[in-house]
Amino acid sequence: MAKQKTLYTCTECGGQAPKWQGQCPACGAWNTLVETVAEQASTNRFQSLAKNAPVQRLADIEAADVPRFSTGVSEFDRVLGGGLVAGGVVLIGGDPGIGKSTLLLQSLGEIASERRALYVSGEESAAQIALRAQRLSLLDPQSKASELKLLAEIQLERIQATIEAERPDVAVIDSIQTIYSDALTSAPGSVAQVRECAAQLTRVAKQSGTAIIMVGHVTKEGNLAGPRVLEHIVDTVLYFEGDTHSSFRLVRAFKNRFGAVNELGVFAMTERGLRGVSNPSALFLSQHEQTVPGSCVLVTQEGSRPLLVEIQALVDTAHVPNPRRLAVGLEQNRLALLLAVLHKHAGIACFDQDVFLNAVGGVKITEPAADLAVLLAIQSSLRNKPLPKGLFVFGEVGLAGEIRPSPRGQDRLKEAAKLGFSIAVIPKANAPKQPVEGLRVIAVERIEQAIDQVRELD
Ligand code: TYD
Ligand code: MG
């Protein structure tokens, strides 16, 4: 096959150059030129599509619900919004060793008993996958997973041909960073290769109706490696989270064209693969015999389920001129902002203190409803006084020191009460109209009021 012509395209402005340059000649941005396949003017690949799809009036289109099929793993179905969609493209990212390949192999094993499934691995040999399948008991005689097709391949064109020949209902590409296209000279994993391979595979999915699940590597910061456009091309972006040292794993939807985002799938890694945890609300609490300073329980809402997460703070005298501010599982910048609010409105200064913050269990909390828990944990650690037993909180803290309401307050209260928590410090606007049984609700409007109320409980 003759080499296709390539060009260098700027990722910022789309400007093109025949050779690689450090600076884009069109917009002047540095280091933005990546190799792309030059489109030939004669082969207009959209022409045939335009012929088949006439323009329609919105009112004439039947809004049919997309047919879905189950992945065979109920927590995985939950994050996907009910299952896989024919022709849908899912990108799943996560740290190495977190369980991406395990989850996908397990799921394909289930799917293979009823549908055609193809697992393309660019990272492991077929023998390695078989070894894992054995561990997941997919090779047992009574298991129907033996129908699953495997392909150890990294060349895009051959993968495309296999998908077209096999016509599977689901194909997994593990991982997109290992695949390369012959049309480009750059190395697998480079921005240009990842973009081209993802775009081609997406086209295959849409044309053949095969649902494609791509595994993506993540960078040190936890973002998907490769071009940002990757997230735009695909229909669904999922992230695997969790502490590799604990057995719990979370799969979070980040973007989903076929369902709600922020839905959370919870798994436990066991000897024999991932097990779904259907009732995860109490997973992220550490079991203290006695209450300890610096710990505060937060009720966070993840998709349709409330989760109780313990927020831990450690405030200690700093021995260096600029004290340390470290947040694990929570936003670092938000911590700086909250410390300023704490000083300005509640008169509690931490400028000579190191402040460390952690969300237990490796869960990542992005919602601002965690603010109140962060501040109460910090003041508790600073005073070295534990918060009362059975206390939980939620609520956003504004720059003016006000406590703002959080969505779905009633659900959060109910979940915490169900797990035996008895005192709630919550935003005034979230206060329940009727008393909740076994729950003492302290509704607060300002941060200083929240701290005073908590101190009175000592
Ligand atoms: P893997 O799916 O290979 O991770 P990824 O594809 O995201 O890089 O997960 C491998 C880890 O999971 C590995 O450290 C071993 C562990 N594991 C189990 O604990 N139990 C099992 O049954 C399997 C298959 C893996
Ligand atoms: Mg893997």
Side-chain angles (χ1 to χ4, degrees), residues 97 100-102 119 123-124 132 174 215:
K100 302 179 293 294
S101 309
T102 306
Y119 189 103
E123 299 191 342
E124 290 159 306
R132 175 177 293 140
D174 188 1
V215 174

Side-chain angles (χ1 to χ4, degrees), residues 81-238:
L84 287 166
V85 176
V89 182
V90 179
L91 180 64
I92 177 161
D95 289 336
I98 201 153
K100 302 179 293 294
S101 309
T102 306
L103 175 67
L104 294 176
L105 187 60
Q106 255 179 299
S107 163
L108 282 201
E110 294 287 335
I111 294 173
S113 61
E114 283 163 27
R115 294 163 180 275
R116 280 179 312 235
L118 174 70
Y119 189 103
V120 182
S121 180
E123 299 191 342
E124 290 159 306
S125 68
Q128 277 174 310
I129 300 169
L131 205 65
R132 175 177 293 140
Q134 195 174 31
R135 193 161 160 194
L136 300 173
S137 39
L138 296 180
L139 297 182
D140 294 356
Q142 66 269 34
S143 161
K144 288 197 216 123
S146 45
E147 288 305 311
L148 174 61
K149 301 265 173 51
L150 291 184
L151 174 71
E153 180 58 74
I154 57 171
Q155 206 218 349
L156 176 73
E157 286 74 20
R158 275 190 231 143
I159 296 170
Q160 278 177 310
T162 311
I163 293 179
E164 267 147 34
E166 293 278 332
R167 299 219 146 255
D169 295 298
V170 193
V172 164
I173 312 290
D174 188 1
S175 64
I176 189 72
Q177 273 83 8
T178 54
I179 310 289
Y180 77 96
S181 165
D182 254 353
L184 299 175
T185 52
S186 39
S190 63
V191 172
Q193 285 285 7
V194 170
R195 185 163 73 170
E196 178 67 14
C197 293
Q200 292 295 346
L201 286 168
T202 306
R203 211 161 51 84
V204 171
K206 302 292 166 205
Q207 271 170 3
S208 65
T210 299
I212 292 190
I213 308 176
M214 301 192 269
V215 174
H217 291 174
V218 293
T219 58
K220 220 162 60 208
E221 292 78 46
N223 299 320
L224 276 160
R228 202 71 216 254
V229 284
L230 205 57
E231 291 175 24
H232 293 288
I233 300 174
V234 301
D235 297 312
T236 306
V237 180
L238 305 180

Side-chain angles (χ1 to χ4, degrees), residues 100-436:
K100 302 179 293 294
S101 309
T102 306
L103 175 67
L104 294 176
L105 187 60
Q106 255 179 299
S107 163
L108 282 201
E110 294 287 335
I111 294 173
S113 61
E114 283 163 27
R115 294 163 180 275
R116 280 179 312 235
L118 174 70
Y119 189 103
V120 182
S121 180
E123 299 191 342
E124 290 159 306
S125 68
Q128 277 174 310
I129 300 169
L131 205 65
R132 175 177 293 140
Q134 195 174 31
R135 193 161 160 194
L136 300 173
S137 39
L138 296 180
L139 297 182
D140 294 356
Q142 66 269 34
S143 161
K144 288 197 216 123
S146 45
E147 288 305 311
L148 174 61
K149 301 265 173 51
L150 291 184
L151 174 71
E153 180 58 74
I154 57 171
Q155 206 218 349
L156 176 73
E157 286 74 20
R158 275 190 231 143
I159 296 170
Q160 278 177 310
T162 311
I163 293 179
E164 267 147 34
E166 293 278 332
R167 299 219 146 255
D169 295 298
V170 193
V172 164
I173 312 290
D174 188 1
S175 64
I176 189 72
Q177 273 83 8
T178 54
I179 310 289
Y180 77 96
S181 165
D182 254 353
L184 299 175
T185 52
S186 39
S190 63
V191 172
Q193 285 285 7
V194 170
R195 185 163 73 170
E196 178 67 14
C197 293
Q200 292 295 346
L201 286 168
T202 306
R203 211 161 51 84
V204 171
K206 302 292 166 205
Q207 271 170 3
S208 65
T210 299
I212 292 190
I213 308 176
M214 301 192 269
V215 174
H217 291 174
V218 293
T219 58
K220 220 162 60 208
E221 292 78 46
N223 299 320
L224 276 160
R228 202 71 216 254
V229 284
L230 205 57
E231 291 175 24
H232 293 288
I233 300 174
V234 301
D235 297 312
T236 306
V237 180
L238 305 180
Y239 278 96
F240 240 107
E241 297 174 0
D243 193 350
T244 31
H245 305 295
S246 89
S247 65
F248 295 111
R249 303 282 187 275
L250 305 175
V251 181
R252 195 191 293 272
F254 179 75
K255 157 187 174 176
N256 195 350
R257 287 190 185 142
F258 303 114
V261 287
N262 272 336
E263 199 55 90
L264 201 66
V266 185
F267 296 92
M269 181 62 94
T270 69
E271 303 274 274
R272 313 184 75 205
L274 289 161
R275 284 270 132 72
V277 179
S278 52
N279 196 357
S281 52
L283 272 187
F284 302 102
L285 301 175
S286 49
Q287 310 295 334
H288 301 294
E289 291 270 303
Q290 234 109 52
T291 51
V292 289
S295 151
C296 182
V297 174
L298 156 77
V299 191
T300 171
Q301 182 85 30
E302 290 295 348
S304 53
R305 292 186 297 193
L307 272 185
L308 278 86
V309 181
E310 180 181 332
I311 304 293
Q312 294 185 333
L314 179 66
V315 182
D316 190 24
T317 317
H319 296 286
V320 282
N322 4 349
R324 306 250 289 150
R325 309 264 177 262
L326 190 76
V328 180
L330 292 137
E331 258 178 82
Q332 189 110 351
N333 290 341
R334 189 97 195 152
L335 171 60
L337 186 150
L338 288 173
L339 286 173
V341 173
L342 191 66
H343 182 214
K344 190 86 185 169
H345 297 286
I348 300 175
C350 293
F351 53 78
D352 54 354
Q353 306 282 331
D354 288 333
V355 181
F356 304 99
L357 202 62
N358 180 31
V360 169
V363 59
K364 281 205 188 81
I365 296 167
T366 46
E367 67 161 2
D371 294 351
L372 190 53
V374 168
L375 289 183
L376 290 183
I378 289 174
Q379 68 85 32
S380 158
S381 177
L382 188 66
R383 293 194 309 140
N384 209 16
K385 278 252 180 200
L387 292 167
K389 206 172 169 65
L391 178 97
F392 71 92
V393 306
F394 60 85
E396 177 181 350
V397 178
L399 288 185
E402 82 280 18
I403 312 267
R404 300 206 197 118
S406 306
R408 310 185 60 169
Q410 300 305 307
D411 294 354
R412 299 183 200 233
L413 286 174
K414 269 193 223 136
E415 187 66 29
K418 204 169 84 192
L419 289 167
F421 285 81
S422 53
I423 313 168
V425 178
I426 58 166
K428 187 142 211 167
N430 283 123
K433 303 221 165 47
Q434 268 98 37
V436 181

